[in-house]
């Protein structure tokens, strides 16, 4: 635009000035933005010997759980214990109505007296027949009959005595006493209820000896085979299951203060569940454990020597492929395929693909471009030496 037009057309001059100002501002905004290098948490792959523990759900039982049942028929007349408390061996628990049995005792005593009377008579007859037979005043047949009557009377006395003893035993059964020392439960029948010998299989009560406790827990058949091979192997890591300390975790996940020992295994695999029932024993001096509690049993089942470990967040899994990102000298992420072993708490054991001390990025689900450098930030983490299968 020439000078003449600018002087004679003020609007054109203003438009030109505004355009020049806008172009100047645009040039200032086209400065190159700085490159941001993201921070990435990094850990060094650790190495140590790691014991592996397995956990199984079990249930507690008393070292002896004895059901109390009545051996006679009758009404419960009285109870002589406080439910839920400790009872001593021999302590009176229940009294059953004994009037019917007492009547049977009276009848048995009468029959015994009658039998003894017949025995006295038979003995008197025999004593009289024997000398007469020797004098040929009576025949040999008369002597044989007297001897047979005497022997039969003796047998009748013995039978009456046995019947009396049985009824007296039944009388003793009307007083039910504690067979062991332990905690007695809540009575299923109370005073006034009728009990019988069968009682449809229902027990009056149960006493549990809780000075020590049994814990029964099932293991799968494959786990049992693995344990068995470990116990019979000739390797240096052979496990003596009889001496293996067993830990107990209560329902609130707190650890029980006593360690137990393996006690026994059932004779067969349960065909319905495919599991084998094992039993461990724990001391219970303060009575913290009660029968029927659901607990977890935990014990060492394996050991990885010089295992390489990294946090689980450092491992990315795509289907069956496990991958980590290793930090190189150029501070760039290098993807690497690894093979994982057992989980150790919040960590993975890496069996192949990684060396001790190599730095691995803990990126979780974050999106990182492996081609661009990162700012590695060393992250503190602790090895968890208790692995749970």
């Amino acid at each position: 635009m020439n000078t003449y037009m600018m002087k004679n057309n003020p609007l054109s001059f203003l438009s030109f000035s505004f355009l020049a100002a806008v172009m100047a501002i645009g040039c200032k905004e086209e400065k190159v933005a700085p490159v941001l290098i993201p921070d990435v948490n990094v850990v060094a792959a650790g190495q140590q010997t790691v014991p592996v523990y397995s956990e199984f759900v079990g249930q507690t039982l008393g070292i002896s759980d004895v059901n109390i049942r009545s051996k006679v028929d009758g009404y419960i007349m009285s109870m002589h214990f406080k439910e839920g408390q400790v009872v001593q061996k021999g302590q009176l628990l229940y009294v059953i109505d004994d009037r019917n049995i007492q009547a049977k005792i009276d009848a048995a005593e009468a029959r015994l007296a009658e039998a003894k009377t017949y025995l006295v008579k038979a003995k008197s007859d025999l004593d009289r027949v024997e000398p007469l037979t020797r004098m040929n005043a009576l025949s040999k047949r008369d002597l044989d009959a007297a001897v047979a009557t005497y022997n039969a009377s003796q047998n009748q006395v013995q039978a009456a005595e046995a019947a009396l003893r049985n009824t007296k035993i039944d009388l003793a059964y009307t007083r039910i006493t504690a067979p062991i020392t332990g905690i007695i439960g809540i009575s299923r029948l109370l005073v006034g209820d009728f009990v019988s010998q069968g009682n449809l299989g229902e027990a009056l009560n149960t006493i549990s000896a809780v000075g020590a406790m049994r814990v029964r827990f099932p293991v799968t058949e494959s786990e049992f085979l693995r344990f068995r091979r470990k116990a019979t192997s000739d390797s240096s890591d052979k496990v003596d299951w009889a001496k293996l300390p067993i830990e107990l975790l209560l329902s609130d996940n707190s650890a029980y203060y006593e360690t137990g020992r393996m006690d026994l295994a059932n004779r067969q695999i349960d065909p319905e569940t495919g599991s084998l029932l094992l039993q461990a024993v724990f001391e219970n001096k303060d009575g913290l454990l009660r029968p029927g509690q659901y607990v977890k049993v935990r014990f060492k089942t394996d050991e990885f020597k010089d295992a390489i470990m990294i946090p689980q967040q450092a491992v990315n899994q795509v289907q069956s492929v496990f991958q980590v990102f290793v930090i190189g000298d150029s501070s760039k992420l290098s993807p690497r395929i690894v093979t994982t072993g057992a989980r150790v708490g919040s960590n993975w054991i890496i069996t192949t693909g990684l060396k001790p001390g190599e730095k691995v990025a803990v990126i979780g689900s974050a999106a990182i471009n492996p081609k661009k450098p990162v700012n590695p930030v060393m992250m503190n983490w602790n090895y968890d030496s208790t692995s749970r299968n």
Side-chain angles (χ1 to χ4, degrees):
M1 184 177 295
N2 54 34
T3 305
Y4 174 81
M5 293 179 63
M6 293 173 63
K7 288 181 179 180
N8 293 279
N9 191 350
L11 293 176
S12 297
F13 178 76
L14 292 175
S15 298
F16 177 78
S17 300
F18 177 75
L19 179 62
V22 170
M23 291 179 63
I25 294 173
C27 292
K28 292 181 180 179
E29 292 180 349
E30 288 180 356
K31 292 183 179 179
V32 178
V35 178
L36 298 177
I37 301 177
D39 293 338
V40 174
N41 290 328
V42 175
V43 297
Q47 185 178 32
Q48 71 173 27
T49 298
V50 180
V52 179
Y53 291 82
S54 295
E55 286 184 359
F56 304 93
V57 177
Q59 192 172 18
T60 59
L61 302 93
I63 200 68
S64 295
D65 294 320
V66 181
N67 290 326
I68 307 300
R69 287 185 168 88
S70 176
K71 294 185 178 181
V72 295
D73 299 340
Y75 292 95
I76 299 177
M77 302 301 292
S78 59
M79 295 168 52
H80 300 267
F81 63 90
K82 187 174 182 180
E83 295 168 310
Q85 298 297 314
V86 175
V87 295
Q88 301 298 320
K89 181 178 180 180
Q91 178 180 335
L92 180 63
L93 302 177
Y94 297 90
V95 174
I96 309 299
D97 184 9
D98 62 356
R99 289 174 295 181
N100 184 41
I101 297 176
Q102 192 64 57
K104 291 180 179 179
I105 290 177
D106 294 339
E109 288 177 342
R111 286 193 293 270
L112 177 59
E114 182 180 12
K116 287 181 177 180
T117 300
Y118 281 116
L119 177 61
V120 171
K121 181 180 181 301
K123 181 66 170 64
S124 177
D125 291 342
L126 179 60
D127 292 341
R128 186 172 60 255
V129 169
E130 280 181 333
L132 293 175
T133 303
R134 287 193 295 269
M135 295 170 57
N136 294 323
L138 292 175
S139 65
K140 183 70 167 55
R141 179 180 296 178
D142 294 329
L143 177 62
D144 292 343
V147 171
T149 301
Y150 175 72
N151 291 336
S153 297
Q154 283 185 316
N155 292 335
Q156 289 175 357
V157 170
Q158 292 175 356
E161 289 175 343
L164 180 59
R165 284 196 300 269
N166 286 336
T167 53
K168 287 184 176 179
I169 290 174
D170 288 341
L171 180 63
Y173 286 153
T174 62
R175 271 53 175 176
I176 301 176
T177 58
I180 61 172
T181 297
I183 297 176
I184 193 167
I186 297 175
S187 185
R188 298 177 181 88
L189 297 176
L190 302 176
V191 174
D193 289 332
F194 184 82
V195 295
S196 63
Q197 298 181 47
N199 210 36
L200 301 178
E202 184 180 14
L204 289 171
N205 214 320
T206 301
I207 300 177
S208 296
V210 294
M213 295 292 290
R214 295 173 293 165
V215 177
R216 289 181 178 174
F217 56 97
V219 299
T220 64
E221 185 176 356
S222 59
E223 289 170 330
F224 166 71
L225 293 175
R226 179 164 60 92
F227 297 162
R228 186 64 180 172
R229 292 189 182 106
K230 199 76 173 177
T232 57
S233 66
D234 295 328
S235 60
S236 59
D237 59 348
K238 176 179 178 180
V239 177
D240 186 353
W241 296 102
K243 299 180 180 179
L244 188 67
I246 312 295
E247 299 178 18
L248 193 66
L249 301 177
L250 304 178
S251 59
D252 60 356
N253 287 326
S254 63
Y256 185 58
Y257 61 89
E258 291 278 1
T259 57
R261 57 179 174 80
M262 199 71 74
D263 186 40
L264 58 88
N266 196 11
R267 66 177 182 85
Q268 69 171 15
I269 303 291
D270 188 334
E272 295 184 359
T273 62
S275 61
L276 179 70
L277 194 63
L278 303 182
Q279 178 173 291
V281 175
F282 294 82
E283 291 297 324
N284 188 35
K285 297 177 182 178
D286 64 353
L288 180 62
L289 299 180
R290 290 293 185 100
Q293 289 178 263
Y294 283 97
V295 294
K296 289 182 181 178
V297 175
R298 184 169 177 264
F299 53 90
K300 178 181 173 182
T301 55
D302 209 339
E303 185 176 73
F304 296 97
K305 295 184 178 179
D306 299 327
I308 299 173
M309 290 189 299
I310 58 175
Q312 290 184 26
Q313 298 94 323
V315 181
N316 298 295
Q317 182 180 1
V318 180
Q319 294 182 350
S320 59
V321 178
F322 295 87
Q323 184 184 63
V324 299
F325 289 94
V326 181
I327 303 295
D329 295 336
S330 59
S331 296
K332 291 184 178 181
L333 300 177
S334 175
R336 187 182 300 177
I337 303 299
V338 296
T339 304
T340 60
R343 288 189 179 185
V344 184
S346 60
N347 306 317
W348 273 112
I349 289 180
I350 305 299
T351 56
T352 60
L354 199 61
K355 296 180 181 179
E358 286 191 295
K359 296 178 180 179
V360 180
V362 182
I363 60 177
S365 59
I368 298 294
N369 188 347
K371 297 181 180 180
K372 294 184 178 180
V374 297
N375 180 33
V377 178
M378 290 304 296
M379 171 181 167
N380 293 326
W381 66 294
N382 295 321
Y383 301 158
D384 184 353
S385 61
T386 56
S387 172
R388 301 179 182 182
N389 287 346

